[in-house]
Amino acid sequence: MIGKSDWSMIDTYAKSWIKEAGSRIRDSFNKKLLIKTKSNKDDLVTNMDHETEQFLISKITETFPNHQILGEEGFGDEVKALDGVVWIIDPIDGTMNFVHQQRNFAISIGIYEDGVGQIGLIYDVVNDELYHAKKGQGAFFNDTALPALSDVSVDEAVIGINATWVLENKRIDSSVLTPLVKQVRGTRSYGSAALEMAYVAAGRLDAYITMRLAPWDFAAGMILIAEVGGVVTNIKGQPVGLLNESSVFASNGNLHKEVMKNYIEGFI
Ligand code: 2AM
Ligand code: CA
């Protein structure tokens, strides 16, 4: 590849690899799963997280040797800067769901060039549902184009938030988000940040708020949400970086503004 990349070709490859990776995960359901813990007893990883990341990396490096890869399980590169093309991969987002439920998890791939999101893919493996977006060309749920997000008031909003963030925790005063949780129409927690961001893009959730994610959890979702006119920032309303952990507040534009103004700014 010389100069600017051939995004249509990259997109075709990325979609075929994510589907093949998903098919391997589905095939693994009747085999024995090896489960380990990482940072703590609730932080799970399985042989399928590792195998899926290694599968994707082998395909990418074989076809695009100049691209960098940032993967959750660490089989990719030590990415220190976003120069060139960078694939940001979570082989299984929602590993706890994968282990406990065999559903509600996804493969997430965000592809950036010089820090600009170009392709976002989130594959709900069990339902064979692919959320995909290419910069400037809209976002899709399988073959269906997703419409631009419409305005929703706090009163009518269904938001994705984990109960953790309204209980005592290390990242936010537990009283800050309580009024929001009380005021919205409903709250949901699916346990996969990638899927929750895909749901925001698809209009199934009006917002998603979480205090700690890693780049592979949100890299693809940010691209999908941008394509339907949504907004993704950290909890302070600032841009989310792709090389560090971050809080994430994803929503349609008007709800994002309303929540920032009335529930967050001045309260954190
Ligand atoms: P994972 O399954 O890929 O680890 C669960 O609420 C969501 O938060 C999932 O998307 C999960 O991704 C992510 N998550 C869990 N532990 C995390 C951590 N220590 N840092 C960042 N994201 C985490
Ligand atoms: Ca993961």
Side-chain angles (χ1 to χ4, degrees), residues 49 72-73 90-93 95:
D49 296 66
E72 171 166 20
E73 306 310 335
D90 193 339
I92 299 184
D93 182 67
T95 300

Side-chain angles (χ1 to χ4, degrees), residues 38-40 43-44 49 72-73 90 92-96 162 189 191-194 196 208 210 212-214 216-217 245:
K38 292 200 279 190
S39 57
N40 63 63
D43 187 6
L44 307 179
D49 296 66
E72 171 166 20
E73 306 310 335
D90 193 339
I92 299 184
D93 182 67
T95 300
M96 193 188 295
N162 192 302
S189 178
S192 158
E196 292 178 282
Y208 173 56
T210 187
R212 184 188 62 176
L213 290 182
W216 39 81
D217 299 319
E245 285 195 348

Side-chain angles (χ1 to χ4, degrees), residues 158-191:
V158 177
I159 67 167
I161 186 167
N162 192 302
T164 308
W165 311 124
V166 288
L167 296 171
E168 200 177 320
N169 71 85
K170 281 189 266 180
R171 306 201 176 235
I172 188 167
D173 184 317
S174 60
S175 66
V176 171
L177 295 170
T178 314
L180 178 66
V181 167
K182 280 187 183 153
Q183 195 62 29
V184 292
R185 181 168 276 171
T187 58
R188 299 288 183 270
S189 178
Y190 296 95

Side-chain angles (χ1 to χ4, degrees), residues 18-32:
I18 206 170
K19 290 249 177 162
E20 191 177 340
S23 154
R24 285 162 167 253
I25 293 175
R26 287 191 297 269
D27 289 346
S28 79
F29 283 150
N30 52 19
K31 299 189 190 124
K32 187 160 170 43

